[in-house]
Amino acid sequence: MQRRVAVLGATGSIGASALDVIARHPDRLHATVLAAGRNVDALLALCERHRPRHAVVAHAGAYPALRDGLRGRGLATQAHCGDEALEALVAGEDCDTVVAAIVGAAGLPSTLAAARAGKRLLLANKESLVLAGELLMRAAREAGATVVPIDSEHNAIFQCLPDAQARAGLRRILLTASGGPFRGRRRDELGAVTPEQAIAHPKWSMGPKISVDSATLMNKGLEVIEAHHLFGVAGERIEVLVHPQSLVHSLVEFVDGSTLAQLGLPDMRTALAVGFAWPERIASGVAGLDLLAHGRLDFEPPDLDAFPCLRLAFAALAEGGTAPAVLNAANEAAVSAFLQRRIGFLAIPALVEDALAALPSTPATSLAALRDADARARRRVEQAVATHP
Ligand code: NAD
Ligand code: MG
């Protein structure tokens, strides 16, 4: 069977890795839908290369350039724009597999549409799980969607915990973290760091938002919540270990004292190949791991004083309800302000903490309640940034 794949966030870092794996397997994978935010030139180049049936831009202003660019290149790809068009394509007949790699809560509607339509869902958009994990996982279960996490840690856990029987004997999850570019620094050494320093990740090449999240350790905090939803494990049974080599992608410990880990070079094409072919294995373009060349594997505890975002995420998970939605939205707004040089690095955890304190958690009974909490948290952070001295 040839998988017909929708790549959402096609012009991003995960999108590029997904299309690289797809292009290695023309017999079994074809990109039929490509979607991006507003970068029309990059999307047109991808259409020329991968010949999808449909191309989608999020922003209406970018639509004429997409439509005319496709025509000018003589491509049969149809142009679309907006959330509704994207949701319809994701749920429709032209794809059976969806790579959800839009960044941020903006990815929730299309991710949810893929789950509801019972598609194979390669889920990179972790913010949608943090914001609406219960709803999303329930929709996937009810529609029979297979969810394969495309986050190196969760993909590792997925590989170590293939079925319900294995999950029944799980004692805890050990989530590894590289520690980011500022590992080893004290809090008082972080006040003046710049966006350029924050996005220069030592081991992974990723988009700007997740790179800043890695520098604050919020990325690991979001991943704790992500693991909770994907594997049904309470926060108390998830431990974070800093592992600077980024070769052990995560571990699971069973009640019998056995610990399993998944190792590999830090390259997301491995996780994507697992997602496309599972339970089979296909080539991803990633070389095997030469342990003798790497020599050692180190582990250390995270520094919650220098990187309070991880602590805030554990607290939001324990609180439940709308707290994770507030955490995620406040973080997105704060990271965006940091990248625009409107606030300093240490203001990111401070603004998230303030939003969590000011917007007490309520039960997250509906998508509307979660969206409302998300909007209120963004507004609060944006107001604080605007009145910042
Ligand atoms: P990126 O910034 O490189 O790419 C983001 C993509 O989303 C782009 O194609 C952009 O056009 C698109 N986009 C942005 N806003 C949009 C909108 N409103 N509507 C439609 N498309 C929109 O980001 P990335 O590093 O590829 O990360 C994507 C997602 O995958 C994030 O949720 C991230 O946390 C997750 N993830 C990434 C990595 C990685 O190695 N890069 C690893 C694990 C998880
Ligand atoms: Mg990760």
Side-chain angles (χ1 to χ4, degrees), residues 40 44 62-74 79:
V40 173
L44 284 170
Y63 173 75
L66 177 64
R67 179 197 55 205
D68 298 346
L70 288 168
R71 254 189 232 152
R73 286 168 174 75

Side-chain angles (χ1 to χ4, degrees), residues 48-266:
E48 207 152 22
R49 168 112 206 273
H50 298 278
R51 309 278 162 148
R53 287 189 206 150
H54 306 279
V56 194
V57 278
H59 300 277
Y63 173 75
L66 177 64
R67 179 197 55 205
D68 298 346
L70 288 168
R71 254 189 232 152
R73 286 168 174 75
L75 296 171
T77 306
Q78 290 173 35
H80 309 261
C81 76
D83 264 0
E84 271 176 39
L86 181 59
E87 284 169 57
L89 284 167
V90 161
E93 293 294 302
D94 281 338
C95 67
D96 48 61
T97 301
V98 176
V99 179
I102 291 174
V103 59
L108 178 62
S110 51
T111 303
L112 200 52
R116 285 183 173 145
K119 303 289 165 102
R120 175 171 289 210
L121 178 54
L122 276 63
L123 180 50
N125 176 229
K126 65 186 88 187
E127 295 91 348
S128 65
L129 271 174
V130 174
L131 170 57
E134 265 150 46
L135 280 167
L136 184 57
M137 293 306 288
R138 195 186 319 134
R141 256 193 322 276
E142 286 173 2
T146 302
V147 179
V148 183
I150 305 298
D151 205 344
S152 56
E153 299 77 4
H154 307 74
N155 193 268
I157 296 161
F158 175 86
Q159 293 184 55
C160 294
L161 278 184
D163 54 39
Q165 273 166 320
R167 282 178 202 188
L170 182 69
R171 183 184 286 150
R172 57 184 187 136
I173 284 176
L174 300 159
L175 212 55
T176 52
S178 70
F182 307 135
R183 182 178 63 89
R185 293 209 201 176
R186 292 189 318 269
R187 187 178 169 75
D188 60 12
E189 296 171 310
L190 291 172
V193 301
T194 64
E196 288 74 18
Q197 291 169 320
I199 62 180
H201 197 278
K203 294 290 173 192
W204 294 93
S205 156
M206 309 182 288
K209 190 264 177 182
I210 182 176
S211 296
V212 174
D213 286 348
S214 299
T216 60
L217 285 203
M218 181 59 94
N219 182 50
K220 212 47 54 181
L222 300 178
E223 290 184 356
V224 168
I225 301 173
E226 183 185 9
H228 160 75
H229 290 297
L230 286 167
F231 305 110
V233 173
E236 302 81 66
R237 294 204 290 143
I238 303 173
E239 188 178 331
V240 172
L241 289 177
V242 173
H243 165 51
Q245 291 89 1
S246 294
L247 297 174
V248 178
H249 296 310
S250 276
L251 313 92
V252 296
E253 183 187 300
F254 295 97
V255 288
D256 57 10
S258 181
T259 296
L260 295 186
Q262 185 263 343
L263 286 76
L265 291 173

Side-chain angles (χ1 to χ4, degrees), residues 361-383:
S361 176
T362 57
T365 43
S366 67
L367 199 52
L370 293 165
R371 286 226 170 93
D372 178 62
D374 173 289
R376 294 205 296 155
R378 280 174 210 271
R379 266 202 308 277
R380 181 159 182 100
V381 170
E382 277 152 20
Q383 271 163 13

Side-chain angles (χ1 to χ4, degrees), residues 342 384-389:
R342 299 171 68 202
V385 171
T387 55
H388 207 257

